[in-house]
Amino acid sequence: MNLILFGPPGAGKGTQAKILQDEHALVQLSTGDMLRAAVAAGTELGKKCKAIMDSGDLVPDEVVVGIIAERLEKPDCAQGAVFDGFPRTVGQAQALDTMLASKGKKIDGVVELKVNDEILVGRIVQRNQETGGTRADDNPETLRKRLVVYHQNTAPLLDFYAKAGKLKSVDGMAPIPQVSQEIQTVLKGWTEAGGGRFVR
Ligand code: ADP
């Protein structure tokens, strides 16, 4: 099964993707984590992306599509994946559909974590304090830029997936266990609707 966790920066996609990874045989694919690993390792790709990420902009579609294409070839993705932070543009979503189709697969569902912008700012400030500022883009100024980019480039994808009949939304402002529970309910619904074996 291939799922997308969708939502603005700080919505809790990473937290919920990890829970899904632990509870189901689904691999978390976070382009943000992969890009940060490339930056930390000092690869050519990392060098190319660092300044863009620090500014809150999106790295070019071909970069992230290339990373995901390579990652999807690994055997651990055969069971399915939870995409976290990807796709972020309509171009990325189309590329993902093409990549999966070439393997006889598809996106089975998209779960949106709904969180108000003001709450996101508070969460990012808190995350920045907790991590001791390890993420250069976790500051209020860059977050505002990331939110603008989200609303301009990424939020239109909601329509893309809604039209495909794949979108469900949950309240991302509820406590973490409750959000997990709501996601679980969505997955069960899809399973019962014949969408496949979402729940182990
Ligand atoms: P967030 O906490 O904002 O969801 P991520 O960890 O997903 O952050 O991503 C951090 C940064 O990495 C983004 O602001 C962007 O510069 C870059 N990035 C991550 N995923 C993508 C993507 N799919 N397309 C373009 N840029 C991306």
Side-chain angles (χ1 to χ4, degrees), residues 16-140:
Q16 295 299 333
K18 283 196 180 64
I19 294 172
L20 284 172
Q21 171 164 266
D22 293 344
E23 291 183 355
H24 305 285
L26 299 171
V27 177
Q28 177 193 12
L29 297 187
S30 158
T31 41
D33 285 352
M34 293 176 201
L35 290 168
R36 277 187 290 280
V39 171
T43 63
E44 278 310 309
L45 181 90
K47 284 180 198 149
K48 189 176 156 194
C49 296
K50 186 176 185 324
I52 304 176
M53 293 167 69
D54 288 355
S55 75
D57 255 321
L58 294 181
V59 306
D61 280 359
E62 60 270 23
V63 171
V64 280
V65 168
I67 296 179
I68 288 288
E70 203 180 309
R71 187 65 185 81
L72 281 176
E73 292 305 320
K74 303 254 165 71
D76 61 340
C77 293
Q79 286 274 64
V82 183
F83 294 90
D84 152 17
F86 179 90
R88 260 176 155 93
T89 64
V90 173
Q92 291 177 21
Q94 288 165 338
L96 178 60
D97 280 351
T98 306
M99 277 187 268
L100 291 173
S102 75
K103 297 176 184 304
K105 294 180 180 172
K106 61 178 167 47
I107 288 298
D108 297 285
V110 179
V111 182
E112 178 200 11
L113 304 180
K114 271 187 179 298
V115 182
N116 295 342
D117 282 7
E118 314 84 75
I119 291 190
L120 295 170
V121 178
R123 284 186 182 181
I124 296 289
V125 168
Q126 194 187 348
R127 179 162 81 184
N128 200 25
Q129 282 163 357
E130 284 167 4
T131 58
T134 41
R135 267 187 69 167
D137 60 348
D138 270 356
N139 58 72

